Amino acid sequence: MRQAGRYQPSYRELRQQHNFMDLATNPELCVEVSCRPVEDLGVDAAILFSDIMVPLAPMGIEFTIKESVGPVIANPVATMHDVLALAPVTPERDLPYVLDAIDGIVTRLGPTPLIGFAGGPFTLASYMVEGGPSKNYLHTKHLMWNEPETWSALMDALVDVVSAHLIAQIKAGASAVQVFDSWVGSLAPQDYEAGVLPYMAEIFRRLEPLGVPRIYFGVGTGSLLELMVSAGPDVLGVDWRVPMAAVRGRIGPKIALQGNLDPVRVTAGYDAVVESTRNLLAVMRQDPAYIFNLGHGVLPMTDPHVLKQVVDLVHREGRRRDAL
Ligand code: CP3
């Protein structure tokens, strides 16, 4: 997660010459940034270098990505009028640079799989309504509770964009897709169930015929995991706040689990990270379907050498005993 980013000297160098959206809309640079972590770290999959905000640009959302802050929107959404003004998105026409980048990445990586991604409708709506990152999601929750018709029109529009974007990414060569619903953990379970779950379930339904693994991830989702599974993903991504074995106990054997080393562990030095990684591998060793990952994005202050050592450790010690 965020395996491309500011912790890499090569990324920081590129960012001195190009702003974020220049990188994300230039297929050649995007191929370079997406492939470098695979080549440098030896991870088992690439993730497309892009951002959850990218498909909102052709909808008419004007944003910049502000360093150390995140997306900032010039024209936040507040009313039904604003929602009706959002343009539909045809990825092949409106986001060709993403699909060209996928083509280039898949060619360069050969057998290494590429994970495509999009933001979840709630997480995207939170940026669109708040106008940027938020602590309490006040305006978003008010809209959900007080203007249910506007909320459902906004979520319907986002379901269309997210589904079309993910389907286009799969057709362009992505081997799996991940929906980042990063901020959905701000919701009480009953609000998730009423205001988000039906839309997420529709996205996974539309993706099902394409036959690739669908990963669903959010931050701080300890109280939502069963509901998130009921949306229908193939893989559930979880952060470090929930013990992995307990998650398996709660959701049963039907879908795969991905996570959940605290990204701060990787900044605490090699000895500190080794113990926690080994503990996680030990707990999940007999699990029927477990994918090692961090519980959220790699932090900018992470030492790339330590990250590489974690990858090597997982490769050395992470195989299931009965698979050796
Ligand atoms: O390597 C990868 O994981 C793929 C690339 C990727 C980026 N953003 C690149 C990026 C992915 C998968 C995302 C998803 C994304 N973007 C999410 C969901 C995942 C998560 O972290 O919860 C969210 C919430 C966003 C919105 C966003 N964009 C944020 C919060 C930030 C960070 C702001 C900061 O500077 O700390 C961004 C900018 C961004 N997107 C960076 C990267 C590498 C930072 C780099 C930069 O400024 O050049």
Side-chain angles (χ1 to χ4, degrees), residues 12-31:
R12 286 200 301 270
E13 218 170 277
L14 263 181
R15 280 281 280 109
Q16 287 185 342
Q17 299 148 43
H18 309 275
N19 70 31
F20 183 87
M21 284 307 282
D22 283 348
L23 291 184
T25 56
N26 178 321
E28 269 156 40
L29 294 174
C30 222
V31 171

Side-chain angles (χ1 to χ4, degrees), residues 1-6 11 15 18-20 23 33-34 37 47-53 65-71 117-119 123 127 133 180-183 217 219 296-297 300:
M1 232 180 289
R2 295 258 180 90
Q3 55 188 24
R6 290 196 299 264
Y11 181 84
R15 280 281 280 109
H18 309 275
N19 70 31
F20 183 87
L23 291 184
V33 177
S34 304
I47 179 156
L48 170 70
F49 180 78
S50 185
D51 197 85
I52 59 169
M53 300 302 290
I65 305 252
K66 213 167 152 192
E67 185 151 345
S68 305
V69 175
F117 74 91
T123 296
Y127 283 114
F180 286 94
D181 214 352
S182 299
W183 312 140
F217 167 78
V219 179
H296 201 182

